[in-house]
Amino acid sequence: MASPNIVSSSQSSLSPPPATSIASTNGGYESGEIDWDNLGFKVTKTDYMFIAKSSLDGDFEQGQLIPFGNIELSPSAGILNYGQGLIEGSKAYRREDGGIFVFRPQDGAIRMQIGAERMCMPCPAVDQFVDAVKQTALANKRWIPPADKGTLYIRPLLMGSGAVLGVAPAPEYTFLVYACPVGNYLKGATEALSLYVEEEVHRAVCGGAGGVKSITNYAPVMKAMRNAKRKGFTDVLYLDSVNNKYIEEASSSNIFLIKGKVILTPKASGTILEGITKKSVIDIAHDLGYQVEERSIEVEELITAEEVFCTGTALGVAPVGSVTYKDKRIEYKISSEIVSQQLNTRLVGIQRGTIEDKRNWIVEVK
Ligand SMILES: *Cc1c(COP(=O)(O)O)cnc(C)c1O
């Protein structure tokens, strides 16, 4: 009854995509079919998505790939009425030699388990999650951009799909994984983020769900994001809700400051989402000889920082060109020599297989 079913497709599971868009047999894509130069970060209807279900107290069934399409939900589905849902985000990379790899999918699986516990949801096992991510990447292989053009963004979604009227965990859960090709977020070394420090809206509170990738963390900050964008900023930098003076993170990325050989980032203690990119950058910074401090950072410390940058799966390591706090704009130098660019080059090199992956972060899809 509350099960999501594909409603807009006459195709049975795993039937081939329409003849006009069948991938070539060498696993590539037909040239000229997809405009790889104008990908951006938007929804594209790809070929397949993965779906698996579970009861509240059970284990997730094995699941399967089905054609990408709409799902059917009860009007009283837990996710629609009470926001019982979690997202994840991962990327698949196509190498020059055709190999396909995903970055740290196990970390996303574990983060989803922690989030599921917080939101009273059953969760797929780590292996099941990783396998679903791989299957989704492989089934949509023709949508993975060439190495220099972008990546396949993979979005796992866990939701209370069963019907419930009073506030309570839903009786049924759906784990869904879909994927879309996306472009490189910032092009060139001169592009940078401009952040607006928000003093009225808080992203997360102590005891809330800011530390997990709950879907409930995003709609409440859209107004602050819209206001910042209208003023010409790219994103919002949130402050802690208790003192309104310690920096936390941006809407969907973590923040770092650089002072000499020290790299600073706010310590995650339940109100900051612990990013996989953040963890990776901390390890890479150590490799490059930096000292990394995770601690409370007062907004005033932005004035004495030499560099500021944000990290996340969607944007990678992105330099911040300015931060505006109380009508004061602090500017940072942007060039190909800055530390964030070095960190980015290293991270991208590992993700793309041109730099040794000594920590087993990358997982081959096939
Ligand atoms: C997803 C997300 C991040 C970045 O996490 P990654 O694992 O690096 O992609 C940071 N902050 C918020 C609020 C997020 O939702």
Side-chain angles (χ1 to χ4, degrees):
M1 174 187 73
S3 315
N5 296 308
I6 298 304
V7 293
S8 66
S9 178
S10 56
Q11 298 168 331
S12 61
S13 286
L14 278 183
S15 59
T20 51
S21 57
I22 288 176
S24 56
T25 47
N26 66 5
Y29 26 76
E30 287 159 20
S31 56
E33 191 192 321
I34 302 161
D35 185 3
W36 299 119
D37 290 311
N38 292 293
L39 286 171
F41 197 87
K42 56 182 190 292
V43 180
T44 302
K45 188 183 179 301
T46 51
D47 298 327
Y48 296 105
M49 60 190 196
F50 179 93
I51 197 159
K53 287 177 199 167
S54 170
S55 61
L56 175 58
D57 303 312
D59 290 328
F60 271 84
E61 60 183 21
Q62 200 189 344
Q64 60 176 330
L65 288 165
I66 57 172
F68 182 101
N70 294 349
I71 58 170
E72 193 172 85
L73 287 171
S74 161
S76 49
I79 188 167
L80 295 179
N81 292 260
Y82 301 123
Q84 201 186 17
L86 287 167
I87 53 169
E88 263 305 323
S90 185
K91 277 179 172 175
Y93 300 79
R94 182 190 293 278
R95 293 194 181 166
E96 303 287 356
D97 66 4
I100 294 165
F101 293 81
V102 284
F103 187 67
R104 304 189 72 167
Q106 298 93 336
D107 294 73
I110 293 164
R111 188 165 66 186
M112 182 169 267
Q113 290 190 332
I114 295 166
E117 200 281 322
R118 176 69 181 80
M119 308 300 281
C120 293
M121 296 195 274
C123 191
V126 171
D127 285 353
Q128 210 171 6
F129 178 105
V130 172
D131 192 53
V133 165
K134 287 185 185 175
Q135 282 192 50
T136 307
L138 206 54
N140 295 295
K141 195 168 159 187
R142 72 188 186 99
W143 294 99
I144 309 178
D148 57 333
K149 301 293 184 190
T151 55
L152 185 73
Y153 183 78
I154 303 170
R155 167 56 60 81
L157 185 55
L158 179 65
M159 58 183 148
S161 48
V164 62
L165 194 57
V167 177
E172 185 207 71
Y173 294 82
T174 299
F175 174 57
L176 196 152
V177 186
Y178 67 90
C180 296
V182 297
N184 297 318
Y185 198 87
L186 295 175
K187 292 192 178 91
T190 51
E191 265 190 87
L193 304 171
S194 58
L195 304 180
Y196 178 77
V197 179
E198 172 61 53
E199 292 180 85
E200 319 242 296
V201 172
H202 292 100
R203 197 194 77 88
V205 295
C206 291
V212 298
K213 249 175 155 47
S214 166
I215 61 162
T216 57
N217 291 330
Y218 304 93
V221 298
M222 287 178 188
K223 194 173 170 188
M225 289 171 75
R226 190 181 60 186
N227 286 342
K229 283 192 175 139
R230 280 181 182 162
K231 291 179 196 155
F233 299 99
T234 52
D235 200 356
V236 173
L237 175 56
Y238 299 95
L239 297 176
D240 78 286
S241 67
V242 177
N243 303 288
N244 215 29
K245 77 173 186 191
Y246 296 104
I247 59 168
E248 296 215 309
E249 61 176 322
S251 306
S252 58
S253 61
N254 295 113
I255 189 160
F256 288 81
L257 280 65
I258 305 184
K259 296 184 182 188
K261 271 300 204 187
V262 181
I263 297 186
L264 303 168
T265 188
K267 190 172 173 61
S269 55
T271 55
I272 295 170
L273 195 284
E274 189 76 303
I276 295 165
T277 321
K278 172 184 164 174
K279 287 197 292 178
S280 308
V281 163
I282 289 173
D283 285 340
I284 292 170
H286 282 140
D287 290 349
L288 296 179
Y290 288 90
Q291 186 188 325
V292 180
E293 287 179 20
E294 288 186 81
R295 61 162 170 86
S296 299
I297 301 170
E298 272 189 47
V299 64
E300 299 291 344
E301 287 199 50
L302 286 163
I303 298 166
T304 54
E306 286 133 41
E307 265 184 58
V308 176
F309 61 92
C310 288
T311 65
T313 296
L315 79 166
V317 182
V320 172
S322 74
V323 180
T324 300
Y325 177 55
K326 292 190 192 291
D327 296 325
K328 249 193 351 222
R329 188 181 171 97
I330 310 158
E331 292 191 345
Y332 304 97
K333 64 172 195 286
I334 301 298
S335 78
S336 53
E337 258 94 83
I338 59 178
V339 179
S340 64
Q341 293 291 341
Q342 291 172 37
L343 294 165
N344 190 53
T345 301
R346 192 96 172 203
L347 177 65
V348 171
I350 295 168
Q351 289 168 333
R352 297 233 170 249
T354 57
I355 292 175
E356 190 203 352
D357 169 34
K358 56 184 184 183
R359 295 185 179 89
N360 294 316
W361 284 343
I362 50 176
V363 172
E364 191 164 17
V365 165
K366 49 137 192 116

